[in-house]
Amino acid sequence: MGSTESTSSGRTAAARDRDSEGRARNARPRDGLGRPLPYGAPGVPRQPEGVVRRPEESVAEAQRLLDEGKPFHAHEVFEDAWKSGPEEERELWRGLAQLAVGLTHAARGNVTGGARLLRRGAGATEAWAARAGQRPHGIDLAGVIAWARELAAEVEAGAPVDAGARAPRLRGAS
């Protein structure tokens, strides 16, 4: 039996948001940085989960979202690539997802979490690049890694972050 105690949103615990398979899923709308908004508030469309794309499509979609100031949503694209891609590329996509989450936290004002995730993602992509020795799917890993480390230092120095204005160029300068 589900609990009927009230939650902080005033909804009963038995009325928790669930997906079609019964797993708990938060259905609250979200803003461009992925922060939950009150039920009924207008939000940005969610990035669908579990989409299998070609790597070039993942890079293009993530770049579009990053440019729109939606790094949380770009993280979802990278996460899909990480989960559906070949085993030998999982650490690459995971590192890119960490970079997007780092940008998300930095833009939300979370200095510690933002800088930490930017550095963690930079380290993961750098380690993958050292093993793979290539420029995967046209991604400028050296440029992305340098961007992440520079932004982490700026965040720690107290600089505010506009996610769209500070989005990385995944394929280099354009």
Side-chain angles (χ1 to χ4, degrees):
M1 280 310 260
S3 169
T4 57
E5 296 175 24
S6 266
T7 64
S8 60
S9 67
R11 296 160 43 96
T12 63
R16 288 179 63 187
D17 299 328
R18 302 262 175 206
D19 66 14
S20 61
E21 296 175 10
R23 291 184 302 244
R25 295 277 186 204
N26 189 327
R28 286 170 55 185
R30 298 202 177 246
D31 71 6
L33 292 174
R35 291 176 290 220
L37 300 169
Y39 286 101
V44 300
R46 285 186 176 226
Q47 193 63 32
E49 293 181 43
V51 177
V52 178
R53 300 173 182 86
R54 289 179 314 148
E56 295 76 14
E57 293 171 328
S58 293
V59 173
E61 178 67 2
Q63 186 68 69
R64 180 185 70 78
L65 292 164
L66 289 164
D67 291 345
E68 290 177 2
K70 299 175 183 173
F72 177 82
H73 303 279
H75 142 267
E76 298 288 349
V77 172
F78 289 137
E79 190 172 276
D80 286 342
W82 152 26
K83 291 179 178 179
S84 67
E87 182 67 36
E88 63 272 9
E89 290 186 3
R90 292 212 171 138
E91 289 305 307
L92 165 69
W93 297 110
R94 185 170 158 259
L96 292 170
Q98 288 172 331
L99 291 173
V101 173
L103 177 56
T104 300
H105 282 283
R108 289 177 178 177
N110 178 352
V111 172
T112 303
R116 185 174 293 148
L117 281 161
L118 286 163
R119 286 198 175 93
R120 185 180 303 155
T125 54
E126 187 172 53
W128 185 89
R131 286 190 309 275
Q134 61 177 327
R135 184 176 167 138
H137 314 296
I139 302 171
D140 176 12
L141 287 183
V144 171
I145 292 163
W147 162 85
R149 291 191 171 131
E150 178 182 310
L151 184 58
E154 290 176 22
V155 167
E156 288 176 327
V161 175
D162 176 315
R166 288 310 315 263
R169 302 304 316 150
L170 298 174
R171 291 198 167 122
S174 48

